[in-house]
Amino acid sequence: QSVLTQPPSASGTPGQRLTISCSGSSSNIGRNTVNWYQQLPGTAPKLLIYSNNQRPSGVPDRFSGSKSGTSASLAISGLQSEDEADYYCAVWDDSLNGYVFGTGTKVTVL
Amino acid sequence: QLQLQESGPGLVKPSETLSLTCTVSGDSISSSNYYWGWIRQPPGKGLEWIGNIFYSGSTYYNPSLKSRVTISVDTSKNQFSLQLSPVTAADTAVYYCAMSGYYSPYAMDVWGQGTTVTVSS
């Protein structure tokens, strides 16, 4: 059972803006920076956002991240069919003294 | 470009030791301030962090697995390894190795393709 809660699923039509939430606590999101990973079907996860809102080289600017208090969000603007994937938030938890992943959100493009 | 490749047995018997190796290519495992780690994903489930080792040898483990896990580095082979013992069916998963530290200490920048490990007699 993860300490980071995400909605199990989210969906949208091509071109829409989609937002995924990640709810944590003062010992994790409240104190440390959040990372987001994208896992396409049958593949290894890929770093999508680091340090709350930074994109690694090669990640389209359609993807953006934000953090407020003990929650974080990932936004996908101009949703595309290739964005269908599982998305995970992750952060260091000072109380657990370990890295924790969110429960994951499956994004479907209708 | 740095690449990671997991290797090891795909089948392990209950109560025995799971041993996996991650081979690093494209850079030296001891050349920079990187963390080398393991993550697993049970069938149909989410990601679980197992632990990291810093290039200096310092280790950080998931508290729920700490009593059964050892992560080590072999600089001569440019590899790092995972040992998990004893295993049960609950340890059946895809195991990924990953590197952190290029963008951020806790962001896993590069991942291996993953290797499936089944625990069964």
Side-chain angles (χ1 to χ4, degrees), chain A residues 35 37 39 43-45 47 50-51 56-57 88 92 96-99 101, chain B residues 39 41 45-49 61 63 96 103-104 106-109 111-112:
Chain A
N35 306 307
Y37 299 89
Q39 186 175 30
T43 69
L47 181 64
Y50 68 97
S51 297
S57 173
Y88 295 90
W92 185 266
L96 296 175
N97 200 29
Y99 195 68
F101 288 94
Chain B
I39 303 95
Q41 185 170 35
K45 296 188 177 181
L47 301 169
E48 180 180 34
W49 175 73
Y61 297 134
Y96 297 100
Y103 290 107
S104 165
Y106 301 122
M108 294 159 191
D109 316 298
W111 294 66

PDB file of all heavy atoms in Angstrom, chain A residues 35 37 39 43-45 47 50-51 56-57 88 92 96-99 101, chain B residues 39 41 45-49 61 63 96 103-104 106-109 111-112:
ATOM      1  N   ASN A  35       9.010  13.461  -8.732  1.00  0.00           N
ATOM      2  CA  ASN A  35       9.340  13.017 -10.083  1.00  0.00           C
ATOM      3  C   ASN A  35       8.148  12.263 -10.663  1.00  0.00           C
ATOM      4  O   ASN A  35       7.340  11.687  -9.924  1.00  0.00           O
ATOM      5  CB  ASN A  35      10.557  12.086 -10.061  1.00  0.00           C
ATOM      6  CG  ASN A  35      11.738  12.717  -9.357  1.00  0.00           C
ATOM      7  OD1 ASN A  35      12.143  13.827  -9.683  1.00  0.00           O
ATOM      8  ND2 ASN A  35      12.291  12.013  -8.377  1.00  0.00           N
ATOM      9  N   TYR A  37       6.993   9.449 -13.830  1.00  0.00           N
ATOM     10  CA  TYR A  37       7.460   8.459 -14.795  1.00  0.00           C
ATOM     11  C   TYR A  37       6.300   8.032 -15.692  1.00  0.00           C
ATOM     12  O   TYR A  37       5.155   7.915 -15.244  1.00  0.00           O
ATOM     13  CB  TYR A  37       8.032   7.233 -14.082  1.00  0.00           C
ATOM     14  CG  TYR A  37       9.212   7.553 -13.199  1.00  0.00           C
ATOM     15  CD1 TYR A  37       9.036   7.918 -11.873  1.00  0.00           C
ATOM     16  CD2 TYR A  37      10.513   7.516 -13.698  1.00  0.00           C
ATOM     17  CE1 TYR A  37      10.107   8.238 -11.068  1.00  0.00           C
ATOM     18  CE2 TYR A  37      11.601   7.833 -12.884  1.00  0.00           C
ATOM     19  CZ  TYR A  37      11.391   8.185 -11.576  1.00  0.00           C
ATOM     20  OH  TYR A  37      12.456   8.513 -10.780  1.00  0.00           O
ATOM     21  N   GLN A  39       5.110   4.907 -18.211  1.00  0.00           N
ATOM     22  CA  GLN A  39       5.391   3.530 -18.586  1.00  0.00           C
ATOM     23  C   GLN A  39       4.449   3.123 -19.709  1.00  0.00           C
ATOM     24  O   GLN A  39       3.263   2.858 -19.464  1.00  0.00           O
ATOM     25  CB  GLN A  39       5.261   2.587 -17.396  1.00  0.00           C
ATOM     26  CG  GLN A  39       5.697   1.160 -17.716  1.00  0.00           C
ATOM     27  CD  GLN A  39       5.672   0.243 -16.504  1.00  0.00           C
ATOM     28  OE1 GLN A  39       4.884   0.407 -15.579  1.00  0.00           O
ATOM     29  NE2 GLN A  39       6.565  -0.751 -16.498  1.00  0.00           N
ATOM     30  N   THR A  43       6.822  -1.860 -21.592  1.00  0.00           N
ATOM     31  CA  THR A  43       8.175  -1.268 -21.591  1.00  0.00           C
ATOM     32  C   THR A  43       8.581  -0.821 -20.198  1.00  0.00           C
ATOM     33  O   THR A  43       7.765  -0.778 -19.274  1.00  0.00           O
ATOM     34  CB  THR A  43       8.253  -0.060 -22.539  1.00  0.00           C
ATOM     35  OG1 THR A  43       7.476   1.017 -21.995  1.00  0.00           O
ATOM     36  CG2 THR A  43       7.741  -0.413 -23.931  1.00  0.00           C
ATOM     37  N   ALA A  44       9.853  -0.477 -20.062  1.00  0.00           N
ATOM     38  CA  ALA A  44      10.353   0.052 -18.795  1.00  0.00           C
ATOM     39  C   ALA A  44       9.868   1.482 -18.590  1.00  0.00           C
ATOM     40  O   ALA A  44       9.599   2.202 -19.561  1.00  0.00           O
ATOM     41  CB  ALA A  44      11.878   0.024 -18.799  1.00  0.00           C
ATOM     42  N   PRO A  45       9.722   1.906 -17.354  1.00  0.00           N
ATOM     43  CA  PRO A  45       9.360   3.296 -17.090  1.00  0.00           C
ATOM     44  C   PRO A  45      10.402   4.260 -17.659  1.00  0.00           C
ATOM     45  O   PRO A  45      11.565   3.902 -17.838  1.00  0.00           O
ATOM     46  CB  PRO A  45       9.321   3.370 -15.565  1.00  0.00           C
ATOM     47  CG  PRO A  45       9.095   1.966 -15.116  1.00  0.00           C
ATOM     48  CD  PRO A  45       9.830   1.121 -16.116  1.00  0.00           C
ATOM     49  N   LEU A  47      11.675   8.469 -17.250  1.00  0.00           N
ATOM     50  CA  LEU A  47      11.559   9.707 -16.483  1.00  0.00           C
ATOM     51  C   LEU A  47      10.893  10.781 -17.335  1.00  0.00           C
ATOM     52  O   LEU A  47      11.381  11.099 -18.423  1.00  0.00           O
ATOM     53  CB  LEU A  47      12.942  10.172 -16.027  1.00  0.00           C
ATOM     54  CG  LEU A  47      12.987  11.456 -15.194  1.00  0.00           C
ATOM     55  CD1 LEU A  47      12.256  11.282 -13.864  1.00  0.00           C
ATOM     56  CD2 LEU A  47      14.436  11.885 -14.955  1.00  0.00           C
ATOM     57  N   TYR A  50      11.184  15.773 -13.493  1.00  0.00           N
ATOM     58  CA  TYR A  50      11.980  15.670 -12.267  1.00  0.00           C
ATOM     59  C   TYR A  50      11.941  17.009 -11.538  1.00  0.00           C
ATOM     60  O   TYR A  50      11.612  18.041 -12.128  1.00  0.00           O
ATOM     61  CB  TYR A  50      13.422  15.230 -12.557  1.00  0.00           C
ATOM     62  CG  TYR A  50      14.246  16.262 -13.304  1.00  0.00           C
ATOM     63  CD1 TYR A  50      15.089  17.129 -12.613  1.00  0.00           C
ATOM     64  CD2 TYR A  50      14.189  16.359 -14.691  1.00  0.00           C
ATOM     65  CE1 TYR A  50      15.840  18.074 -13.287  1.00  0.00           C
ATOM     66  CE2 TYR A  50      14.940  17.304 -15.372  1.00  0.00           C
ATOM     67  CZ  TYR A  50      15.765  18.160 -14.666  1.00  0.00           C
ATOM     68  OH  TYR A  50      16.511  19.096 -15.342  1.00  0.00           O
ATOM     69  N   SER A  51      12.259  16.957 -10.255  1.00  0.00           N
ATOM     70  CA  SER A  51      12.277  18.182  -9.426  1.00  0.00           C
ATOM     71  C   SER A  51      10.991  18.989  -9.587  1.00  0.00           C
ATOM     72  O   SER A  51      11.039  20.206  -9.809  1.00  0.00           O
ATOM     73  CB  SER A  51      13.503  19.034  -9.772  1.00  0.00           C
ATOM     74  OG  SER A  51      14.683  18.343  -9.477  1.00  0.00           O
ATOM     75  N   PRO A  56      13.234  16.358 -18.602  1.00  0.00           N
ATOM     76  CA  PRO A  56      14.505  15.887 -19.179  1.00  0.00           C
ATOM     77  C   PRO A  56      14.549  16.195 -20.662  1.00  0.00           C
ATOM     78  O   PRO A  56      13.512  16.395 -21.313  1.00  0.00           O
ATOM     79  CB  PRO A  56      14.455  14.373 -18.933  1.00  0.00           C
ATOM     80  CG  PRO A  56      13.451  14.177 -17.853  1.00  0.00           C
ATOM     81  CD  PRO A  56      12.450  15.271 -18.037  1.00  0.00           C
ATOM     82  N   SER A  57      15.742  16.208 -21.186  1.00  0.00           N
ATOM     83  CA  SER A  57      15.919  16.443 -22.607  1.00  0.00           C
ATOM     84  C   SER A  57      15.114  15.429 -23.413  1.00  0.00           C
ATOM     85  O   SER A  57      15.134  14.230 -23.132  1.00  0.00           O
ATOM     86  CB  SER A  57      17.408  16.321 -22.963  1.00  0.00           C
ATOM     87  OG  SER A  57      17.616  16.387 -24.335  1.00  0.00           O
ATOM     88  N   TYR A  88       3.325   7.338 -13.042  1.00  0.00           N
ATOM     89  CA  TYR A  88       3.606   7.194 -11.621  1.00  0.00           C
ATOM     90  C   TYR A  88       4.310   8.445 -11.091  1.00  0.00           C
ATOM     91  O   TYR A  88       5.262   8.927 -11.713  1.00  0.00           O
ATOM     92  CB  TYR A  88       4.526   5.994 -11.369  1.00  0.00           C
ATOM     93  CG  TYR A  88       3.939   4.648 -11.703  1.00  0.00           C
ATOM     94  CD1 TYR A  88       4.087   4.108 -12.976  1.00  0.00           C
ATOM     95  CD2 TYR A  88       3.255   3.912 -10.743  1.00  0.00           C
ATOM     96  CE1 TYR A  88       3.549   2.856 -13.287  1.00  0.00           C
ATOM     97  CE2 TYR A  88       2.712   2.661 -11.041  1.00  0.00           C
ATOM     98  CZ  TYR A  88       2.875   2.151 -12.310  1.00  0.00           C
ATOM     99  OH  TYR A  88       2.343   0.916 -12.617  1.00  0.00           O
ATOM    100  N   TRP A  92      11.080  10.966  -2.387  1.00  0.00           N
ATOM    101  CA  TRP A  92      11.729  10.425  -1.197  1.00  0.00           C
ATOM    102  C   TRP A  92      10.861  10.732   0.017  1.00  0.00           C
ATOM    103  O   TRP A  92      10.368  11.840   0.168  1.00  0.00           O
ATOM    104  CB  TRP A  92      13.114  11.035  -1.021  1.00  0.00           C
ATOM    105  CG  TRP A  92      13.870  10.409   0.119  1.00  0.00           C
ATOM    106  CD1 TRP A  92      13.936  10.847   1.415  1.00  0.00           C
ATOM    107  CD2 TRP A  92      14.655   9.221   0.073  1.00  0.00           C
ATOM    108  NE1 TRP A  92      14.708  10.009   2.160  1.00  0.00           N
ATOM    109  CE2 TRP A  92      15.173   8.995   1.371  1.00  0.00           C
ATOM    110  CE3 TRP A  92      14.983   8.309  -0.940  1.00  0.00           C
ATOM    111  CZ2 TRP A  92      15.987   7.909   1.669  1.00  0.00           C
ATOM    112  CZ3 TRP A  92      15.791   7.232  -0.643  1.00  0.00           C
ATOM    113  CH2 TRP A  92      16.284   7.032   0.657  1.00  0.00           C
ATOM    114  N   LEU A  96       9.851   7.243   6.153  1.00  0.00           N
ATOM    115  CA  LEU A  96      10.160   5.864   5.774  1.00  0.00           C
ATOM    116  C   LEU A  96      11.633   5.684   5.456  1.00  0.00           C
ATOM    117  O   LEU A  96      12.142   4.561   5.432  1.00  0.00           O
ATOM    118  CB  LEU A  96       9.323   5.458   4.553  1.00  0.00           C
ATOM    119  CG  LEU A  96       7.806   5.422   4.734  1.00  0.00           C
ATOM    120  CD1 LEU A  96       7.123   5.113   3.413  1.00  0.00           C
ATOM    121  CD2 LEU A  96       7.414   4.415   5.794  1.00  0.00           C
ATOM    122  N   ASN A  97      12.310   6.822   5.199  1.00  0.00           N
ATOM    123  CA  ASN A  97      13.712   6.787   4.758  1.00  0.00           C
ATOM    124  C   ASN A  97      13.854   5.910   3.525  1.00  0.00           C
ATOM    125  O   ASN A  97      14.711   5.010   3.447  1.00  0.00           O
ATOM    126  CB  ASN A  97      14.631   6.277   5.879  1.00  0.00           C
ATOM    127  CG  ASN A  97      16.072   6.676   5.643  1.00  0.00           C
ATOM    128  OD1 ASN A  97      16.357   7.701   5.026  1.00  0.00           O
ATOM    129  ND2 ASN A  97      17.001   5.855   6.128  1.00  0.00           N
ATOM    130  N   GLY A  98      12.994   6.179   2.560  1.00  0.00           N
ATOM    131  CA  GLY A  98      13.009   5.406   1.327  1.00  0.00           C
ATOM    132  C   GLY A  98      12.284   6.132   0.214  1.00  0.00           C
ATOM    133  O   GLY A  98      11.580   7.125   0.450  1.00  0.00           O
ATOM    134  N   TYR A  99      12.476   5.635  -0.993  1.00  0.00           N
ATOM    135  CA  TYR A  99      11.857   6.223  -2.184  1.00  0.00           C
ATOM    136  C   TYR A  99      10.514   5.532  -2.393  1.00  0.00           C
ATOM    137  O   TYR A  99      10.439   4.300  -2.338  1.00  0.00           O
ATOM    138  CB  TYR A  99      12.782   5.975  -3.380  1.00  0.00           C
ATOM    139  CG  TYR A  99      12.506   6.789  -4.611  1.00  0.00           C
ATOM    140  CD1 TYR A  99      12.716   8.162  -4.634  1.00  0.00           C
ATOM    141  CD2 TYR A  99      12.082   6.167  -5.777  1.00  0.00           C
ATOM    142  CE1 TYR A  99      12.496   8.899  -5.786  1.00  0.00           C
ATOM    143  CE2 TYR A  99      11.862   6.890  -6.937  1.00  0.00           C
ATOM    144  CZ  TYR A  99      12.075   8.261  -6.939  1.00  0.00           C
ATOM    145  OH  TYR A  99      11.862   8.984  -8.083  1.00  0.00           O
ATOM    146  N   PHE A 101       6.856   5.181  -4.719  1.00  0.00           N
ATOM    147  CA  PHE A 101       6.106   5.430  -5.948  1.00  0.00           C
ATOM    148  C   PHE A 101       4.632   5.579  -5.618  1.00  0.00           C
ATOM    149  O   PHE A 101       4.125   4.969  -4.669  1.00  0.00           O
ATOM    150  CB  PHE A 101       6.264   4.275  -6.929  1.00  0.00           C
ATOM    151  CG  PHE A 101       7.621   4.187  -7.578  1.00  0.00           C
ATOM    152  CD1 PHE A 101       8.616   3.386  -7.047  1.00  0.00           C
ATOM    153  CD2 PHE A 101       7.896   4.915  -8.738  1.00  0.00           C
ATOM    154  CE1 PHE A 101       9.862   3.304  -7.656  1.00  0.00           C
ATOM    155  CE2 PHE A 101       9.133   4.842  -9.349  1.00  0.00           C
ATOM    156  CZ  PHE A 101      10.124   4.035  -8.808  1.00  0.00           C
TER     157      PHE A 101
ATOM    158  N   ILE B  39      14.416  -1.627  -8.913  1.00  0.00           N
ATOM    159  CA  ILE B  39      12.988  -1.414  -8.754  1.00  0.00           C
ATOM    160  C   ILE B  39      12.314  -2.665  -9.296  1.00  0.00           C
ATOM    161  O   ILE B  39      12.802  -3.288 -10.241  1.00  0.00           O
ATOM    162  CB  ILE B  39      12.513  -0.192  -9.586  1.00  0.00           C
ATOM    163  CG1 ILE B  39      13.296   1.059  -9.192  1.00  0.00           C
ATOM    164  CG2 ILE B  39      11.018   0.022  -9.433  1.00  0.00           C
ATOM    165  CD1 ILE B  39      14.506   1.333 -10.085  1.00  0.00           C
ATOM    166  N   GLN B  41       8.362  -4.727 -10.253  1.00  0.00           N
ATOM    167  CA  GLN B  41       6.954  -4.546 -10.584  1.00  0.00           C
ATOM    168  C   GLN B  41       6.278  -5.914 -10.670  1.00  0.00           C
ATOM    169  O   GLN B  41       6.448  -6.632 -11.659  1.00  0.00           O
ATOM    170  CB  GLN B  41       6.805  -3.790 -11.902  1.00  0.00           C
ATOM    171  CG  GLN B  41       5.380  -3.441 -12.272  1.00  0.00           C
ATOM    172  CD  GLN B  41       5.312  -2.493 -13.453  1.00  0.00           C
ATOM    173  OE1 GLN B  41       6.126  -2.557 -14.364  1.00  0.00           O
ATOM    174  NE2 GLN B  41       4.335  -1.578 -13.427  1.00  0.00           N
ATOM    175  N   LYS B  45       0.799  -4.999 -11.336  1.00  0.00           N
ATOM    176  CA  LYS B  45       0.815  -4.059 -10.212  1.00  0.00           C
ATOM    177  C   LYS B  45       1.768  -2.888 -10.469  1.00  0.00           C
ATOM    178  O   LYS B  45       2.345  -2.767 -11.554  1.00  0.00           O
ATOM    179  CB  LYS B  45       1.196  -4.792  -8.925  1.00  0.00           C
ATOM    180  CG  LYS B  45       0.183  -5.854  -8.513  1.00  0.00           C
ATOM    181  CD  LYS B  45       0.506  -6.412  -7.151  1.00  0.00           C
ATOM    182  CE  LYS B  45      -0.552  -7.427  -6.717  1.00  0.00           C
ATOM    183  NZ  LYS B  45      -0.268  -7.992  -5.357  1.00  0.00           N
ATOM    184  N   GLY B  46       1.907  -2.051  -9.459  1.00  0.00           N
ATOM    185  CA  GLY B  46       2.718  -0.852  -9.591  1.00  0.00           C
ATOM    186  C   GLY B  46       4.189  -1.084  -9.285  1.00  0.00           C
ATOM    187  O   GLY B  46       4.632  -2.204  -9.050  1.00  0.00           O
ATOM    188  N   LEU B  47       4.939   0.015  -9.297  1.00  0.00           N
ATOM    189  CA  LEU B  47       6.380  -0.025  -9.093  1.00  0.00           C
ATOM    190  C   LEU B  47       6.725  -0.002  -7.610  1.00  0.00           C
ATOM    191  O   LEU B  47       6.078   0.695  -6.822  1.00  0.00           O
ATOM    192  CB  LEU B  47       7.029   1.178  -9.782  1.00  0.00           C
ATOM    193  CG  LEU B  47       6.792   1.289 -11.289  1.00  0.00           C
ATOM    194  CD1 LEU B  47       7.256   2.655 -11.803  1.00  0.00           C
ATOM    195  CD2 LEU B  47       7.519   0.174 -12.031  1.00  0.00           C
ATOM    196  N   GLU B  48       7.771  -0.744  -7.248  1.00  0.00           N
ATOM    197  CA  GLU B  48       8.262  -0.756  -5.867  1.00  0.00           C
ATOM    198  C   GLU B  48       9.775  -0.564  -5.873  1.00  0.00           C
ATOM    199  O   GLU B  48      10.507  -1.336  -6.508  1.00  0.00           O
ATOM    200  CB  GLU B  48       7.912  -2.070  -5.160  1.00  0.00           C
ATOM    201  CG  GLU B  48       8.409  -2.123  -3.719  1.00  0.00           C
ATOM    202  CD  GLU B  48       8.070  -3.424  -3.015  1.00  0.00           C
ATOM    203  OE1 GLU B  48       8.055  -4.476  -3.682  1.00  0.00           O
ATOM    204  OE2 GLU B  48       7.829  -3.391  -1.794  1.00  0.00           O
ATOM    205  N   TRP B  49      10.246   0.464  -5.170  1.00  0.00           N
ATOM    206  CA  TRP B  49      11.678   0.703  -5.040  1.00  0.00           C
ATOM    207  C   TRP B  49      12.278  -0.319  -4.092  1.00  0.00           C
ATOM    208  O   TRP B  49      11.752  -0.540  -2.999  1.00  0.00           O
ATOM    209  CB  TRP B  49      11.897   2.112  -4.515  1.00  0.00           C
ATOM    210  CG  TRP B  49      13.307   2.480  -4.212  1.00  0.00           C
ATOM    211  CD1 TRP B  49      14.307   2.733  -5.097  1.00  0.00           C
ATOM    212  CD2 TRP B  49      13.883   2.669  -2.911  1.00  0.00           C
ATOM    213  NE1 TRP B  49      15.463   3.064  -4.432  1.00  0.00           N
ATOM    214  CE2 TRP B  49      15.227   3.037  -3.087  1.00  0.00           C
ATOM    215  CE3 TRP B  49      13.391   2.564  -1.612  1.00  0.00           C
ATOM    216  CZ2 TRP B  49      16.082   3.309  -2.027  1.00  0.00           C
ATOM    217  CZ3 TRP B  49      14.237   2.834  -0.545  1.00  0.00           C
ATOM    218  CH2 TRP B  49      15.575   3.199  -0.757  1.00  0.00           C
ATOM    219  N   TYR B  61      18.076   1.104   1.435  1.00  0.00           N
ATOM    220  CA  TYR B  61      17.153   0.022   1.139  1.00  0.00           C
ATOM    221  C   TYR B  61      15.722   0.377   1.542  1.00  0.00           C
ATOM    222  O   TYR B  61      15.488   1.096   2.506  1.00  0.00           O
ATOM    223  CB  TYR B  61      17.563  -1.256   1.871  1.00  0.00           C
ATOM    224  CG  TYR B  61      18.905  -1.815   1.472  1.00  0.00           C
ATOM    225  CD1 TYR B  61      19.824  -2.223   2.430  1.00  0.00           C
ATOM    226  CD2 TYR B  61      19.260  -1.944   0.128  1.00  0.00           C
ATOM    227  CE1 TYR B  61      21.061  -2.754   2.075  1.00  0.00           C
ATOM    228  CE2 TYR B  61      20.495  -2.473  -0.237  1.00  0.00           C
ATOM    229  CZ  TYR B  61      21.392  -2.873   0.734  1.00  0.00           C
ATOM    230  OH  TYR B  61      22.611  -3.396   0.367  1.00  0.00           O
ATOM    231  N   PRO B  63      12.683  -0.059   3.552  1.00  0.00           N
ATOM    232  CA  PRO B  63      12.580  -0.637   4.895  1.00  0.00           C
ATOM    233  C   PRO B  63      11.833  -1.965   4.936  1.00  0.00           C
ATOM    234  O   PRO B  63      12.150  -2.839   5.754  1.00  0.00           O
ATOM    235  CB  PRO B  63      11.811   0.441   5.676  1.00  0.00           C
ATOM    236  CG  PRO B  63      12.105   1.706   4.952  1.00  0.00           C
ATOM    237  CD  PRO B  63      12.203   1.334   3.513  1.00  0.00           C
ATOM    238  N   TYR B  96      13.830  -4.198 -12.514  1.00  0.00           N
ATOM    239  CA  TYR B  96      14.529  -3.200 -13.312  1.00  0.00           C
ATOM    240  C   TYR B  96      15.733  -2.671 -12.550  1.00  0.00           C
ATOM    241  O   TYR B  96      15.657  -2.448 -11.337  1.00  0.00           O
ATOM    242  CB  TYR B  96      13.624  -2.003 -13.606  1.00  0.00           C
ATOM    243  CG  TYR B  96      12.384  -2.286 -14.425  1.00  0.00           C
ATOM    244  CD1 TYR B  96      11.138  -2.439 -13.815  1.00  0.00           C
ATOM    245  CD2 TYR B  96      12.437  -2.362 -15.813  1.00  0.00           C
ATOM    246  CE1 TYR B  96       9.993  -2.666 -14.560  1.00  0.00           C
ATOM    247  CE2 TYR B  96      11.302  -2.595 -16.570  1.00  0.00           C
ATOM    248  CZ  TYR B  96      10.083  -2.745 -15.933  1.00  0.00           C
ATOM    249  OH  TYR B  96       8.947  -2.969 -16.687  1.00  0.00           O
ATOM    250  N   TYR B 103      20.033  14.124 -13.563  1.00  0.00           N
ATOM    251  CA  TYR B 103      19.174  15.310 -13.432  1.00  0.00           C
ATOM    252  C   TYR B 103      18.947  15.670 -11.964  1.00  0.00           C
ATOM    253  O   TYR B 103      18.859  16.842 -11.606  1.00  0.00           O
ATOM    254  CB  TYR B 103      17.829  15.062 -14.110  1.00  0.00           C
ATOM    255  CG  TYR B 103      17.901  15.003 -15.621  1.00  0.00           C
ATOM    256  CD1 TYR B 103      17.768  13.802 -16.298  1.00  0.00           C
ATOM    257  CD2 TYR B 103      18.094  16.161 -16.367  1.00  0.00           C
ATOM    258  CE1 TYR B 103      17.830  13.754 -17.682  1.00  0.00           C
ATOM    259  CE2 TYR B 103      18.159  16.121 -17.748  1.00  0.00           C
ATOM    260  CZ  TYR B 103      18.026  14.912 -18.394  1.00  0.00           C
ATOM    261  OH  TYR B 103      18.077  14.870 -19.767  1.00  0.00           O
ATOM    262  N   SER B 104      18.784  14.654 -11.139  1.00  0.00           N
ATOM    263  CA  SER B 104      18.448  14.864  -9.731  1.00  0.00           C
ATOM    264  C   SER B 104      18.811  13.597  -8.975  1.00  0.00           C
ATOM    265  O   SER B 104      18.691  12.507  -9.520  1.00  0.00           O
ATOM    266  CB  SER B 104      16.950  15.159  -9.588  1.00  0.00           C
ATOM    267  OG  SER B 104      16.529  15.036  -8.253  1.00  0.00           O
ATOM    268  N   TYR B 106      17.324  11.839  -6.861  1.00  0.00           N
ATOM    269  CA  TYR B 106      16.274  10.851  -6.661  1.00  0.00           C
ATOM    270  C   TYR B 106      15.462  10.578  -7.917  1.00  0.00           C
ATOM    271  O   TYR B 106      14.451   9.900  -7.867  1.00  0.00           O
ATOM    272  CB  TYR B 106      15.343  11.294  -5.531  1.00  0.00           C
ATOM    273  CG  TYR B 106      16.067  11.481  -4.214  1.00  0.00           C
ATOM    274  CD1 TYR B 106      16.042  12.709  -3.561  1.00  0.00           C
ATOM    275  CD2 TYR B 106      16.803  10.451  -3.656  1.00  0.00           C
ATOM    276  CE1 TYR B 106      16.716  12.885  -2.371  1.00  0.00           C
ATOM    277  CE2 TYR B 106      17.479  10.621  -2.461  1.00  0.00           C
ATOM    278  CZ  TYR B 106      17.437  11.834  -1.824  1.00  0.00           C
ATOM    279  OH  TYR B 106      18.114  12.016  -0.649  1.00  0.00           O
ATOM    280  N   ALA B 107      15.885  11.117  -9.043  1.00  0.00           N
ATOM    281  CA  ALA B 107      15.185  10.876 -10.297  1.00  0.00           C
ATOM    282  C   ALA B 107      15.919   9.803 -11.083  1.00  0.00           C
ATOM    283  O   ALA B 107      17.095   9.946 -11.387  1.00  0.00           O
ATOM    284  CB  ALA B 107      15.106  12.165 -11.115  1.00  0.00           C
ATOM    285  N   MET B 108      15.206   8.727 -11.416  1.00  0.00           N
ATOM    286  CA  MET B 108      15.829   7.617 -12.124  1.00  0.00           C
ATOM    287  C   MET B 108      15.855   7.930 -13.614  1.00  0.00           C
ATOM    288  O   MET B 108      14.838   7.814 -14.301  1.00  0.00           O
ATOM    289  CB  MET B 108      15.069   6.332 -11.807  1.00  0.00           C
ATOM    290  CG  MET B 108      15.227   5.954 -10.344  1.00  0.00           C
ATOM    291  SD  MET B 108      13.940   4.850  -9.774  1.00  0.00           S
ATOM    292  CE  MET B 108      14.256   4.901  -8.006  1.00  0.00           C
ATOM    293  N   ASP B 109      17.017   8.326 -14.071  1.00  0.00           N
ATOM    294  CA  ASP B 109      17.161   8.865 -15.419  1.00  0.00           C
ATOM    295  C   ASP B 109      17.244   7.796 -16.491  1.00  0.00           C
ATOM    296  O   ASP B 109      16.754   7.979 -17.599  1.00  0.00           O
ATOM    297  CB  ASP B 109      18.433   9.705 -15.501  1.00  0.00           C
ATOM    298  CG  ASP B 109      18.606  10.624 -14.316  1.00  0.00           C
ATOM    299  OD1 ASP B 109      17.745  11.496 -14.131  1.00  0.00           O
ATOM    300  OD2 ASP B 109      19.602  10.464 -13.587  1.00  0.00           O
ATOM    301  N   TRP B 111      16.946   3.551 -17.339  1.00  0.00           N
ATOM    302  CA  TRP B 111      16.432   2.266 -16.881  1.00  0.00           C
ATOM    303  C   TRP B 111      16.897   1.150 -17.798  1.00  0.00           C
ATOM    304  O   TRP B 111      17.075   1.345 -18.998  1.00  0.00           O
ATOM    305  CB  TRP B 111      14.900   2.277 -16.895  1.00  0.00           C
ATOM    306  CG  TRP B 111      14.258   3.218 -15.924  1.00  0.00           C
ATOM    307  CD1 TRP B 111      14.317   4.585 -15.930  1.00  0.00           C
ATOM    308  CD2 TRP B 111      13.425   2.861 -14.821  1.00  0.00           C
ATOM    309  NE1 TRP B 111      13.582   5.101 -14.891  1.00  0.00           N
ATOM    310  CE2 TRP B 111      13.017   4.070 -14.199  1.00  0.00           C
ATOM    311  CE3 TRP B 111      12.979   1.653 -14.280  1.00  0.00           C
ATOM    312  CZ2 TRP B 111      12.193   4.094 -13.064  1.00  0.00           C
ATOM    313  CZ3 TRP B 111      12.154   1.671 -13.168  1.00  0.00           C
ATOM    314  CH2 TRP B 111      11.765   2.880 -12.570  1.00  0.00           C
ATOM    315  N   GLY B 112      17.074  -0.033 -17.216  1.00  0.00           N
ATOM    316  CA  GLY B 112      17.254  -1.219 -18.029  1.00  0.00           C
ATOM    317  C   GLY B 112      15.909  -1.651 -18.588  1.00  0.00           C
ATOM    318  O   GLY B 112      14.866  -1.099 -18.224  1.00  0.00           O
TER     319      GLY B 112
END
